[in-house]
Amino acid sequence: MENPSLFMVEERVKTFKIWPFSDKNRCNIRNMAEAGFYSVATGEKDADAAKCFLCGKELDGWESTDDPWEEHKSHAARCAFVQLGKKHDDLLLPEYLSIVKQYMINDIKRMADLAKEAIAHKQEEVRRRCVGRK
């Protein structure tokens, strides 16, 4: 997660600057944020791009009638937030802590993947230098 404040629904709501659907639609900003999504839109072409604050699942192609919880569940059933199936305000402390724990696990995995990529890149640089010397 790029920003730990995205644990909070209100912080996720603030990310939706150019969301294409109104509050009258099922797929509105509040419902998106309550289902764990925040906006990752960079402009009009991807205005409906959203990502889960916990599992990192990114979805676009939303329709006004989509149910964000159902879409999240159908595309990321293993997401710890989806498995709880509760709005942020309804979470009990142990449930909230389980989300924090999963975030920490995901973040460690992400950092490990970045380190592996950096090592592989460096390894390739060294290999090229060695091959070039022959």
Side-chain angles (χ1 to χ4, degrees):
M1 180 189 336
E2 297 86 28
N3 184 349
S5 69
L6 293 174
F7 268 95
M8 308 307 291
V9 174
E10 293 307 319
E11 292 302 311
R12 293 194 298 269
V13 166
K14 291 177 190 176
T15 67
F16 289 90
K17 307 272 190 251
I18 54 172
W19 191 246
F21 308 114
S22 74
D23 290 344
K24 295 176 185 174
N25 298 122
R26 190 173 202 180
C27 191
N28 62 50
I29 291 171
R30 169 63 59 184
N31 289 344
M32 290 293 291
E34 287 178 350
F37 292 106
Y38 63 99
S39 175
V40 291
T42 58
E44 290 297 322
K45 286 189 176 186
D46 67 349
D48 70 340
K51 187 174 184 177
C52 173
F53 80 98
L54 187 61
C55 71
K57 182 66 176 178
E58 191 169 331
L59 299 172
D60 62 6
W62 294 91
E63 296 181 12
S64 62
T65 56
D66 285 340
D67 179 337
W69 274 108
E70 289 303 314
E71 291 298 320
H72 199 168
K73 189 188 306 182
S74 72
H75 292 279
R78 296 185 66 188
C79 175
F81 189 67
V82 167
Q83 289 179 350
L84 288 173
K86 292 183 176 182
K87 293 181 181 180
H88 185 270
D89 292 343
D90 297 332
L91 293 174
L92 302 174
L93 181 58
E95 293 166 331
Y96 185 80
L97 293 176
S98 74
I99 291 172
V100 171
K101 177 183 173 185
Q102 189 60 51
Y103 165 75
M104 294 171 76
I105 290 168
N106 292 353
D107 199 43
I108 289 167
K109 286 179 182 177
R110 183 188 60 79
M111 288 187 300
D113 288 343
L114 290 173
K116 286 178 192 175
E117 287 176 23
I119 290 168
H121 180 72
K122 194 64 158 173
Q123 178 184 11
E124 184 59 25
E125 284 179 14
V126 170
R127 188 193 66 74
R128 276 193 231 129
R129 276 193 238 139
C130 291
V131 170
R133 290 183 183 168
K134 291 182 179 180

